[in-house]
Amino acid sequence: MNRNICMFLSFFMVAAAGTAMGAEFQPMGTLGIGGAGVARTYDAYAPYWNPAGLAFSDKSFTSRIDVSVGLKVNDGLADNVDLLGNMNFDKFSKISGTSSPQDVTDTVKAITILNDIKEKKGTLAVNGNAVFGFQINHVAFGAFGTIEGFAQPEPDTVNILPQQDNTNVQVTPAEFAAPTIGAAPSTKFFGTDTGPTSLRGQINSALTSNGFTATEANGLINATDAQMTGSGMSPQQVASTLISMATTFTAPPPSDPTKAPTLDNNTTSVLTRSLAYIEFPLSYGHAFNLGSFGTLGLGATAKVIAGRVYQSQTYLMKSGSTVKSSDITKELTKNFKDSTNFGFDLGALWRYSDWFNVGIVAKNLNTPEFDAPDIKNKKGDVLVGSGGKVRLKPQVRMGVSLDPYKWLTLAADLDLTENETVVAAEGFKNRTVGGGFEWHGLSWFKLRGGMYSNIADGGIGPTATAGLTFGTKWFNMDIDGAYSLDTAIYKEKNYPQEARVQAQFNFLF
């Protein structure tokens, strides 16, 4: 095979990693090079990345100790949770004769936030690894620990009306608008246009068609305009909220009055689920000489998996409680259940020469599953049987590595399967492409750089990676990191959408 063609293909995959936009593949020992390890791992990490790599082990013994931790934040969850947490639910959920115009407009603001959560489908995830692995000739074993925590919003945009004070009876249009009657004219937010197709015109038409008088509609629009100026919300978002609230006021009432579409019945929540598991693998790789076609390595892993599933539901619209985004991460390690299972992996690695490899690995072929604990409803009652199972579904990943010079390695990986996150909900998938380079021109120092991106979820942008190794050829230390090029809001501050650090100690003989 022409060396220039191989270099072109590898550079193409690395470039794709930089421009493309779960139980997931974790970048154990490969973070600095963009998480690419399927075609370049021959040591104690081979049980995780590709057992076929053991067929090409060039050392009689290696040991790896690794620790890493990371955070992923999408716009639309953490920032909106903090916005709700800064509002007084007990005031805006109940409208009475003593309510202020701000109480009314806070209701509108809260429902707009719920709509934004639903539209953006923002998420929050934490992950981490701890590895203690050994490789002896063509056999490897050890303990590979992983924790993946995921927070998913479950917005309720049906139960959106305030209720009369100290009751579960929804307010009437007149009661809702009463605190805003006579509000001073304001045009900074919705503009001055009052035509039928303008935002003001559409809101006014919806309100007056659903039980509001012209005076009540005008006061509500002016009060909302004044309060929402500078809120960071768009006029279209707020207009949509007012229109949907208007139609809810005149919807047929439910036969059961306790199920009225009030905020006290609103079930907006964040489902948090974490899977912490330790794999105890035993792996073997064997090489087959293909003559002029190179060498094919085949490998297999059998593993015992001890798993712990954490699961809870945090309700955001609840009397007497305030929830912040930091509270969500705390829920990731509460309410758990332990179970044990086993798994099987298979891998192949084709080496055309000493400088070009192509690998493929299939993990968790038997779909190991773990018991999840039951969760509670908004009233605090345990929902018996709600726990279910968390499954590690089969994953297939392909990789290529190229050593065009003795001092340079290029590598790239691509998930061939779309992997579900631990929440396993529609729309929350992971399929990663990543790659990079490693410069190893000195025996005591290596330098890495790369990029990876989730091409199954447009919410997380490209993430840049870098790392270095220093030490002797028998013992060295790796330090690697990843930093997203896009930002999101968490704890009311801007952070990279994804950040991760990794450190490992290596013993090589």
Side-chain angles (χ1 to χ4, degrees), residues 252-259:
S255 56
D256 183 352
T258 64
K259 296 182 179 180

Side-chain angles (χ1 to χ4, degrees), residues 221-267:
I221 294 172
N222 282 327
T224 303
D225 188 288
Q227 291 291 334
M228 293 301 168
T229 300
S231 66
M233 299 177 179
S234 73
Q236 183 60 59
Q237 285 180 308
V238 179
S240 296
T241 296
L242 286 168
I243 292 170
S244 66
M245 291 184 72
T247 56
T248 305
F249 272 110
T250 55
S255 56
D256 183 352
T258 64
K259 296 182 179 180
T262 62
L263 288 168
D264 263 357
N265 289 331
N266 191 283
T267 59

Side-chain angles (χ1 to χ4, degrees), residues 325-495:
S325 56
S326 56
D327 297 323
I328 297 175
T329 55
K330 295 175 183 177
E331 292 293 327
L332 290 170
T333 54
K334 294 182 179 179
N335 189 35
F336 62 85
K337 194 170 186 178
D338 295 326
S339 54
T340 302
N341 214 315
F342 60 91
F344 297 102
D345 306 338
L346 294 175
L349 182 61
W350 174 61
R351 173 172 287 182
Y352 175 72
S353 67
D354 290 338
W355 59 276
F356 184 70
N357 299 324
V358 177
I360 189 170
V361 64
K363 295 173 65 69
N364 303 314
L365 293 172
N366 59 319
T367 312
E369 60 183 30
F370 304 92
D371 298 326
D374 292 336
I375 58 177
K376 297 180 180 180
N377 62 17
K378 188 175 181 179
K379 296 180 180 179
D381 301 322
V382 175
L383 301 175
V384 179
S386 61
K389 302 281 187 179
V390 171
R391 296 174 175 84
L392 293 178
K393 293 189 176 181
Q395 305 161 288
V396 181
R397 175 177 279 208
M398 185 175 183
V400 59
S401 71
L402 172 67
D403 293 276
Y405 307 102
K406 291 183 178 181
W407 46 268
L408 180 65
T409 296
L410 304 173
D413 279 10
L414 171 66
D415 286 334
L416 301 183
T417 53
E418 194 171 73
N419 306 313
E420 292 183 346
T421 67
V422 291
V423 172
E426 182 179 356
F428 298 97
K429 307 285 186 178
N430 182 278
R431 188 182 179 201
T432 298
V433 58
F437 72 91
E438 181 179 79
W439 177 87
H440 41 83
L442 302 174
S443 61
W444 58 274
F445 183 77
K446 299 177 183 178
L447 183 66
R448 291 175 292 280
M451 189 169 287
Y452 62 82
S453 187
N454 179 9
I455 58 176
D457 179 5
I460 292 287
T463 300
T465 68
L468 55 86
T469 300
F470 54 91
T472 71
K473 66 178 181 179
W474 300 285
F475 170 77
N476 54 57
M477 180 178 181
D478 295 351
I479 299 177
D480 296 271
Y483 192 95
S484 175
L485 304 183
D486 296 330
T487 61
I489 298 175
Y490 175 60
K491 294 185 180 180
E492 303 181 8
K493 295 181 180 179
N494 280 311
Y495 289 90

Side-chain angles (χ1 to χ4, degrees), residues 198-215:
S198 68
L199 289 181
R200 280 181 172 272
Q202 293 177 55
I203 298 169
N204 185 74
S205 176
L207 293 173
T208 54
S209 299
N210 288 279
F212 291 81
T213 67
T215 300

Side-chain angles (χ1 to χ4, degrees), residues 59-137:
K59 297 186 182 298
S60 58
F61 173 83
T62 64
S63 178
R64 305 278 190 180
I65 301 173
D66 177 300
V67 178
S68 68
V69 63
L71 174 70
K72 298 179 182 180
V73 184
N74 272 10
D75 273 330
L77 179 59
D79 50 338
N80 279 325
V81 168
D82 287 330
L83 287 174
L84 285 174
N86 290 331
M87 301 172 68
N88 189 328
F89 175 82
D90 290 317
K91 293 193 69 174
F92 72 73
S93 65
K94 297 176 176 62
I95 300 298
S96 66
T98 60
S99 295
S100 68
Q102 184 171 343
D103 294 334
V104 175
T105 56
D106 276 354
T107 305
V108 177
K109 181 178 180 180
I111 306 308
T112 303
I113 293 171
L114 298 188
N115 289 332
D116 194 56
I117 292 174
K118 182 177 181 180
E119 179 182 350
K120 291 182 177 177
K121 299 180 180 179
T123 59
L124 177 67
V126 296
N127 46 59
N129 304 112
V131 178
F132 195 22
F134 302 90
Q135 168 257 320
I136 300 175
N137 295 320

Side-chain angles (χ1 to χ4, degrees), residues 273-298:
R273 180 180 288 175
S274 304
L275 173 60
Y277 58 100
I278 303 177
E279 298 178 324
F280 299 96
L282 179 62
S283 303
Y284 173 75
H286 187 78
F288 298 88
N289 191 336
L290 303 181
S292 61
F293 294 99
T295 305
L296 177 65
L298 298 178

